[in-house]
């Protein structure tokens, strides 16, 4: 049995989890069902000083993205230039998305896995998936069929697209992509890029439509200023939902595959269905309520995103925090022992 400390390099064996009284098995890629009673295993109460927040790149990614996004959007409104509006939307959404992605990278210790290929493929796939979703949804809308089932169609298209290439690599790719942490990391990156690209499309559309209608810059400015500010704030916080919904599904897909020894598992299928359901509920139920009963606000959408993070994304992804990171992450990010698992003696 391994007796390495939580901050040491991860090895196979039983490791402290940060919760007092027991260790848990780690097979080199994920936590196992083995739980061992160990009175010497401590409860970690590391308190993170407030000043430490200012040492994390996530904070600065958020600030720079939001400030630069609003600046570009204002310039786009003033000049009636849809490319600047698109840039503003992308940057504003990138602020919180990149902040979350960097936090996940730190919590999962992705830097120790040499998973650069997952980043490159994730970025490329995020762009491709967003473009494919845009043209599919546009074709359906132009065909007059988008009203069938409300906006449920978008979730049914976008969730499978974001997962398509990562799951193919899980099934047929090199061993690197079968690692649950790498798989989830790639999906998080792809979903983040998807959200950033979607925000750019949302912000570009109003100015592009107005400019092609023959309106002057002054008319565009007058009509779009108020609406654009609301839309920018909306996209800045709502687009992160792509990471939350699909990232949580990815954790179940890769953990299920790892435990089953094959790409398909019922656990993974359940994760996918739940992600689609969250997307569909957001688009087909909450968005219309926001639009009709709450005066076009995004209040319910934002609440749904926050709930998704706390009750879906974090509980799933924290199961992949490795033993050498449990002392470095907040308590609520430590992998919990599943209920009902018997605890054996050392």
């Amino acid at each position: 049995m391994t007796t390495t400390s939580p901050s040491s390099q991860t090895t196979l064996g039983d490791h402290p989890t940060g919760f007092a009284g027991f260790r848990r098995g780690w097979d080199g890629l994920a936590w196992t069902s083995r739980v061992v009673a160990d009175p010497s295993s401590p409860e970690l109460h590391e308190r993170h000083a407030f000043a430490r927040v200012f040492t994390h790149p996530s904070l600065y990614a958020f600030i720079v993205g939001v400030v630069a996004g609003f600046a570009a959007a204002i310039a786009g409104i003033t000049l009636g230039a849809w490319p600047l509006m698109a840039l503003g939307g992308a940057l504003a959404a990138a602020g919180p998305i990149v902040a979350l992605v960097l936090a996940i990278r730190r919590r999962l210790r992705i830097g120790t896995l040499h998973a650069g290929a997952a980043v490159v493929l994730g970025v490329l796939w995020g762009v491709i998936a967003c473009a494919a979703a845009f043209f599919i949804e546009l074709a359906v809308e132009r065909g007059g069929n988008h009203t069938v089932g409300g906006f449920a169609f978008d979730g049914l298209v976008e969730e499978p697209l974001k997962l398509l290439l990562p799951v193919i690599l899980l099934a047929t790719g090199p061993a690197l992509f079968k690692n649950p942490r790498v798989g989830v990391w790639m999906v998080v990156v792809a979903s983040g890029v998807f959200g950033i690209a979607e925000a750019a499309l949302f912000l570009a559309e109003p100015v592009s439509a107005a400019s092609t209608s023959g309106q002057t810059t002054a008319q565009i400015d007058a009509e779009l200023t108020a609406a654009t500010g609301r839309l920018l704030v909306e996209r800045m916080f709502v687009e992160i939902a792509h990471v939350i919904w699909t990232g949580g599904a990815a954790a179940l897909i890769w953990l299920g595959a790892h435990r089953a020894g094959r790409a398909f598992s019922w656990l993974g299928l359940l994760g996918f269905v739940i992600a689609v359901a969250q997307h569909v509920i957001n688009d087909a139920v909450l968005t219309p309520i926001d639009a009709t009963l709450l005066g076009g606000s995004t209040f319910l959408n934002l609440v749904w995103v926050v709930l998704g993070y706390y009750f879906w994304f974090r509980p799933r992804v924290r199961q992949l925090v490795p033993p050498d990171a449990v002392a470095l992450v907040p308590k609520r990010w430590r992998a919990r022992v599943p209920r009902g698992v018997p605890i054996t003696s050392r």
Side-chain angles (χ1 to χ4, degrees):
M1 182 182 70
T2 304
T3 57
T4 52
S5 67
S7 60
S8 66
Q9 182 61 35
T10 300
T11 56
L12 278 70
D14 301 328
H15 293 266
T17 61
F19 299 102
F22 60 84
R23 293 170 176 259
R24 188 174 175 186
W26 175 264
D27 64 11
L29 295 178
W31 295 101
T32 71
S33 59
R34 173 181 166 83
V35 182
V36 181
D38 180 9
S40 66
S41 187
E43 178 83 14
L44 296 178
H45 292 287
E46 182 178 1
R47 295 184 178 181
H48 298 276
F50 176 75
R52 190 177 300 180
V53 173
F54 297 96
T55 67
H56 291 163
S58 293
L59 174 65
Y60 300 101
F62 180 90
I63 293 173
V64 171
V66 171
V67 172
F70 271 86
I74 290 171
I77 294 172
T78 303
L79 300 174
W82 68 263
L84 280 175
M85 286 295 296
L87 178 62
L91 290 173
I97 287 175
V98 172
L100 177 60
V101 169
L102 290 176
I104 298 306
R105 183 182 188 277
R106 185 171 64 251
R107 283 165 168 74
L108 298 186
R109 291 183 64 80
I110 297 299
T112 65
L113 299 177
H114 307 290
V119 177
V120 174
L121 291 174
V123 170
L124 291 175
W125 186 246
V127 174
I128 293 171
C130 186
F134 173 77
F135 286 112
I136 291 171
E137 292 163 9
L138 184 63
V140 171
E141 186 175 358
R142 285 179 173 174
N145 299 319
H146 203 145
T147 55
V148 178
F151 289 98
F153 181 76
D154 293 354
L156 296 173
V157 170
E158 294 173 11
E159 294 306 316
L161 279 173
K162 285 182 283 182
L163 287 164
L164 181 58
L165 178 63
V167 169
I168 289 174
L169 290 172
L170 168 65
T172 64
L176 173 69
F177 297 103
K178 302 182 190 305
N179 185 321
R181 283 191 286 161
V182 175
V184 170
W185 172 238
M186 182 178 177
V187 171
V188 163
V189 171
S191 300
V193 172
F194 187 104
I196 293 169
E198 185 176 80
L201 292 173
F202 264 97
L203 268 295
E205 184 177 5
V207 172
S208 177
S211 61
T212 56
S213 68
Q215 292 177 296
T216 66
T217 299
Q219 290 173 319
I220 295 172
D221 183 55
E223 292 180 7
L224 296 179
T225 299
T228 297
R230 178 188 59 79
L231 186 60
L232 197 64
V233 173
E234 171 191 321
R235 293 298 107 192
M236 182 173 68
F237 290 107
V238 171
E239 293 298 345
I240 202 171
H242 284 291
V243 178
I244 291 170
W245 297 331
T246 320
L252 290 185
I253 291 170
W254 263 261
L255 279 173
H258 179 64
R259 293 166 182 169
R262 60 181 186 276
F264 174 82
S265 72
W266 292 110
L267 182 63
L269 179 61
L270 176 64
F272 170 72
V273 170
I274 293 174
V276 171
Q278 289 182 85
H279 198 147
V280 168
I281 290 171
N282 181 80
D283 291 0
V285 178
L286 303 181
T287 296
I289 294 175
D290 272 334
T292 57
L293 300 181
L294 300 180
S297 75
T298 56
F299 175 74
L300 293 179
N301 295 129
L302 294 176
V303 170
W304 192 240
V305 170
V306 172
L307 292 175
Y309 174 82
Y310 281 104
F311 296 104
W312 169 246
F313 180 79
R314 188 176 66 185
R316 308 287 81 78
V317 178
R318 72 179 175 191
Q319 295 300 326
L320 295 171
V321 172
D324 56 333
V326 295
L328 308 175
V329 300
K331 184 175 181 178
R332 290 183 177 85
W333 267 94
R334 296 172 195 157
R336 295 188 180 275
V337 175
R339 294 180 180 177
V341 173
I343 300 178
T344 62
S345 63
R346 298 180 67 183

